[in-house]
Amino acid sequence: MKTSERILESAAALLDAGGTSAVTLRAVGQVSGVSHNAPYKHFVNRDSLLAALATQEFQKLAAAFFAFGQEKVQPLTKLKRALQAFSQYGRDYPGRYQLLFSDPDIAKHEGALSQAAMASFSAFALLVAECQKAGALPAVPTPALAGLLYASVHGLIDLEASGRMKTEKGFMSVTEGIALLLKVLAPEKNEVLQ
Amino acid sequence: MKTSERILESAAALLDAGGTSAVTLRAVGQVSGVSHNAPYKHFVNRDSLLAALATQEFQKLAAAFFAFGQEKVQPLTKLKRALQAFSQYGRDYPGRYQLLFSDPDIAKHEGALSQAAMASFSAFALLVAECQKAGALPAVPTPALAGLLYASVHGLIDLEASGRMKTEKGFMSVTEGIALLLKVLAPEKNEVLQ
DNA sequence: ACCTGAACACCGTTCAAGT
DNA sequence: ACCTGAACACCGTTCAAGT
């Protein structure tokens, strides 16, 4: 395994274990079995290392969305599975999820990272478009509908993780939120919601 | 003006100008006209200073939501104004917004901060409940519906800021997203959407 | 080509001392 | 009670040197 791959792997592990502040070049070096500035031989600096990691993760996400599109099931089932996998990713890899979707420094990057992020959203939008064609989602502009779904699920994941939706009376889970959203979005409510 | 207030004000300014990493105690001290460790006389450490700032901001947000509830207009108009103000806050004070809703270290805090965050969401949920009573929103459980709305708007703000919803074909604005969500949520679609 | 170790500037935090 | 300045450990980054 190449050193650069080991460095990315170490960074991902540290990120999920202790958040972005735990990803110090010294810790990355130690976990990877190299010195604290060996990473500079593979990435221009710490920020660039994190950007490379984010790019890789966005590519995985796009591939996962694409794979759901290939399954031989109803379009709405594909979309539900994709949404489920999306929220599961946020739960399993909170550090990486935060890096991809809520890190302002990472968000500034153009080029490969931005391209990979766009590709992820485009792959997701394809699933939405397919549902619309099948009449399972309303015939509004696809980018708007896909954006709303993407944003809502992200918001649910983010707020669930931060506990910002708790009240005295109750709170909301990501799964419930997605179910409610799909329910209100269904053109024929009684048919789609079992 | 008390030193502790000046410190919080300086921290807020630095936060919006350069993100959380720009809020160093040395910079806060300099902007406040005190030494780099005077903050320790008012807050136990840097994290606690940021938590105090977040608490203050959540209280402002809760007060703003409450104020919209007092206006003499239709319930749905109150809600729309509140959502509009919410997204405007995210645009005007990106650093503070990120601190309140997407900072994992801040999210861990219990006590006053957690209480203030819950109070903000509760105040928002009241506006949603009023819309439901007036028949302007569906009669599903209020925490679920309020949570979905809160999460969706947060997701739209967050993804718009990070540019994660762009595609080759188009992208989505917060305002459009809110409008679309309220449109699909309206029980009598034709009536509510003008 | 890839890596190491020393060095530098910066930061959070602690501590002794000042009014 | 409130503040300051020195000091310490840690971090990103640079640089000269090693294979």
Side-chain angles (χ1 to χ4, degrees):
Chain A
M1 191 181 204
K2 285 177 65 180
T3 301
S4 64
E5 292 171 16
R6 236 174 330 124
I7 287 173
L8 284 173
E9 211 173 63
S10 306
L14 288 164
L15 186 59
D16 288 326
T20 188
S21 68
V23 188
T24 68
L25 293 184
R26 282 163 169 86
V28 168
Q30 192 165 22
V31 174
S32 306
V34 290
S35 77
H36 74 280
N37 52 19
Y40 284 96
K41 307 306 164 185
H42 304 275
F43 307 95
V44 308
N45 56 22
R46 177 180 182 272
D47 193 57
S48 163
L49 192 169
L50 290 173
L53 177 58
T55 304
Q56 198 182 70
E57 292 297 312
F58 267 125
Q59 285 164 353
K60 281 195 217 169
L61 208 60
F65 286 146
F66 182 77
F68 283 116
Q70 299 299 103
E71 294 185 359
K72 301 293 179 199
V73 291
Q74 283 191 330
L76 192 60
T77 304
K78 294 179 187 179
L79 181 64
K80 282 179 180 175
R81 288 182 185 174
L83 289 169
Q84 185 61 31
F86 192 31
S87 71
Q88 193 61 42
Y89 178 83
R91 222 172 280 123
D92 291 344
Y93 310 108
R96 272 176 265 190
Y97 185 84
Q98 168 88 13
L99 180 72
L100 298 188
F101 292 102
S102 299
D103 191 310
D105 294 326
I106 288 298
K108 284 172 194 143
H109 284 257
E110 317 251 327
L113 172 53
S114 180
Q115 288 293 323
M118 275 176 52
S120 287
F121 180 54
S122 293
F124 178 80
L126 274 181
L127 299 175
V128 173
E130 206 184 333
C131 287
Q132 290 181 297
K133 239 173 226 163
L137 284 177
V140 298
T142 302
L145 184 58
L148 177 59
L149 272 163
Y150 206 63
S152 297
V153 174
H154 164 60
L156 286 163
I157 293 169
D158 213 37
L159 292 185
E160 183 182 70
S162 66
R164 290 287 173 263
M165 289 187 312
K166 280 179 199 144
T167 50
E168 300 80 11
K169 294 179 188 172
F171 74 106
M172 173 103 172
S173 77
V174 175
T175 309
E176 284 178 305
I178 294 173
L180 176 57
L181 182 58
L182 289 178
K183 179 181 165 184
V184 301
L185 280 173
E188 303 300 324
K189 304 193 182 186
N190 297 334
E191 284 183 9
V192 178
L193 213 251
Q194 43 149 317
Chain B
M1 191 182 204
K2 287 177 62 181
T3 302
S4 63
E5 293 171 16
R6 237 173 330 124
I7 286 173
L8 284 173
E9 211 173 62
S10 306
L14 288 163
L15 186 58
D16 288 327
T20 188
S21 68
V23 188
T24 69
L25 293 183
R26 282 163 169 86
V28 168
Q30 192 166 21
V31 174
S32 306
V34 290
S35 77
H36 73 281
N37 53 18
Y40 283 96
K41 308 306 164 183
H42 304 275
F43 307 95
V44 308
N45 55 23
R46 177 179 182 271
D47 192 57
S48 163
L49 192 169
L50 290 173
L53 176 58
T55 304
Q56 199 183 70
E57 292 297 312
F58 267 125
Q59 284 164 352
K60 281 195 218 168
L61 208 59
F65 286 146
F66 182 76
F68 283 116
Q70 299 298 106
E71 294 186 359
K72 302 292 178 200
V73 292
Q74 284 191 329
L76 192 61
T77 305
K78 295 179 187 179
L79 181 64
K80 282 179 180 174
R81 288 182 185 174
L83 289 169
Q84 185 61 31
F86 192 31
S87 71
Q88 193 61 41
Y89 178 82
R91 221 172 282 123
D92 291 344
Y93 309 109
R96 272 177 264 190
Y97 185 85
Q98 168 88 11
L99 180 72
L100 297 188
F101 292 102
S102 300
D103 191 310
D105 295 326
I106 289 298
K108 284 172 194 141
H109 285 257
E110 316 251 328
L113 172 53
S114 179
Q115 289 292 325
M118 276 176 52
S120 286
F121 180 54
S122 292
F124 178 80
L126 275 181
L127 299 175
V128 173
E130 206 184 332
C131 287
Q132 290 181 298
K133 239 174 225 162
L137 284 177
V140 297
T142 302
L145 184 58
L148 177 59
L149 273 162
Y150 206 62
S152 298
V153 173
H154 163 61
L156 286 163
I157 293 168
D158 213 38
L159 291 186
E160 184 181 71
S162 65
R164 290 287 172 263
M165 289 189 311
K166 279 180 200 143
T167 50
E168 300 80 10
K169 294 179 186 170
F171 74 105
M172 172 104 173
S173 77
V174 175
T175 309
E176 283 178 305
I178 295 173
L180 177 56
L181 182 57
L182 289 178
K183 179 181 167 185
V184 300
L185 280 173
E188 304 299 325
K189 303 193 182 185
N190 297 334
E191 283 181 14
V192 178
L193 213 252
Q194 42 152 318

